[in-house]
Amino acid sequence: MSTTPFQSLACPLDGQPLSLVSGAWRCAAGHSFDIAKQGHVNLLPVQQKRSVDPGDSKVMVAARQRFLGTGHYQVIADAVSAAALEGASENEPLTCLDAGCGEGYYLRRLAQASDVALSLMGLDISKWAVLAAARQSRPPSPVLDIRWAVGSNASLPVQSQTLDRLLCMFGFPVASEFERVLKPGGVWLQVEAGPEHLRELREIIYPRLKAPRADDAPTPAGFEHASTRRVSDRFTLESAEEIADLLAMTPHLYRASSEGRERAQALETLTLTIDVVIKRWVRA
């Protein structure tokens, strides 16, 4: 595990490169963004917010942190790490952004799995997610030299053509921005739920399941499709608390009816299917 500081931040107000000076990130125009005591920086200007507190709530982030800490999704993290490290150079750090990093689980797993040098940044629009990520990268936790920032995929605070890899884990892709920040030949890994993912939970909370969407999305402009891999597994939750955490960390918590949530809350054990699709896009 070897990480080096991520240096390619850009000012969210004017796009100019940011430099780290006396505990703050500053651009040539004088815009300044302080580093919080937990180690992260807020690069989400008020004019880019669509609500007062955008993104996942504090409760959702805490539930996700507890759930991911159990290791149930390690098979996904291992597959994503392998895909990200494929073709990595041994001569220079692999620069990677997790766009929608949540509480940082997948980026930390990537750092732990790598035998090449990495330069890593995690970005999320939720201040609670980034705060949780930053806290887990500082003592007494294992210290990883990962930058964490609050920001938006719609306007990434990253310099153009500086990334070797970009992860978008169950998030909201913005192809034009991803193309801008990736180097030619850089790789965007889009990770999405497959049609069978958490099917057993969905069958309990919904009166009927929607038909799977056709996977006929066109190749994003500026990219070439390199591969698609499907990751499948099964795991068992053995307490009502674990089931509640899984439900709370997903959009299903808000989409399900009160009756559906009550049916889930009555369970003490639940075996579930993992079905995840990893799409690998290469910037032309």
Side-chain angles (χ1 to χ4, degrees):
M1 177 176 63
S2 173
T3 56
T4 61
F6 186 95
Q7 301 292 350
S8 301
L9 291 177
C11 178
L13 298 174
D14 58 23
Q16 295 189 51
L18 289 174
S19 299
L20 187 57
V21 181
S22 302
W25 289 94
R26 307 177 191 274
C27 76
H31 301 127
S32 181
F33 307 89
D34 292 336
I35 297 175
K37 64 180 180 180
Q38 294 85 3
H40 63 289
V41 61
N42 192 327
L43 297 177
L44 184 66
V46 172
Q47 56 267 40
Q48 292 183 16
K49 291 185 177 182
R50 296 185 177 181
S51 65
V52 175
D53 191 13
D56 290 347
S57 68
K58 187 176 183 178
V59 171
M60 290 181 71
V61 170
R64 182 175 291 110
Q65 186 173 338
R66 289 191 297 268
F67 175 83
L68 293 174
T70 65
H72 292 310
Y73 274 13
Q74 183 173 331
V75 64
I76 302 174
D78 290 346
V80 170
S81 295
L85 295 171
E86 182 181 336
S89 170
E90 297 181 357
N91 300 321
E92 57 185 28
L94 187 78
T95 304
C96 178
L97 168 70
D98 187 347
C101 65
E103 53 76 66
Y105 172 73
Y106 295 101
L107 210 54
R108 290 193 302 274
R109 292 294 304 176
L110 173 60
Q112 293 160 0
S114 178
D115 57 2
V116 300
L118 300 171
S119 177
L120 303 174
M121 176 182 166
L123 179 90
D124 202 284
I125 201 168
S126 166
K127 66 181 181 182
W128 305 111
V130 174
L131 178 60
R135 282 175 170 165
Q136 291 179 89
S137 298
R138 295 174 64 83
S141 302
V143 180
L144 302 172
D145 201 350
I146 302 174
R147 304 284 192 203
W148 303 104
V150 180
S152 171
N153 286 4
S155 183
L156 293 172
V158 176
Q159 297 171 34
S160 298
Q161 297 191 24
T162 56
L163 299 180
D164 299 299
R165 302 288 186 271
L166 188 148
L167 312 180
C168 189
M169 304 289 306
F170 308 103
F172 300 96
V174 183
S176 59
E177 275 293 275
F178 293 0
E179 180 192 17
R180 180 183 65 79
V181 298
L182 280 164
K183 300 173 183 177
V187 174
W188 159 21
L189 296 175
Q190 181 67 33
V191 182
E192 300 173 340
E196 298 302 311
H197 191 58
L198 305 182
R199 182 183 184 92
E200 297 84 356
L201 175 64
R202 292 185 286 120
E203 288 177 340
I204 289 167
I205 64 175
Y206 297 124
R208 66 183 63 83
L209 299 186
K210 296 180 180 178
R213 293 179 299 175
D215 189 11
D216 55 359
T219 299
F223 289 90
E224 298 174 355
H225 177 249
S227 65
T228 296
R229 179 187 173 187
R230 197 162 175 176
V231 179
S232 301
D233 201 4
R234 288 176 68 79
F235 66 97
T236 300
L237 302 179
E238 300 190 357
S239 71
E241 290 76 17
E242 278 194 310
I243 296 169
D245 279 342
L246 174 61
L247 183 57
M249 72 178 235
T250 71
H252 300 304
L253 178 65
Y254 303 105
R255 295 173 183 168
S257 65
S258 58
E259 293 82 3
R261 292 193 294 270
E262 288 173 2
R263 289 194 293 271
Q265 290 165 2
L267 299 173
E268 294 291 337
T269 183
L270 182 62
T271 297
L272 293 147
T273 298
I274 289 174
D275 178 24
V276 168
V277 177
I278 304 174
K279 294 183 180 179
R280 186 180 179 93
W281 306 101
V282 178
R283 188 190 183 283

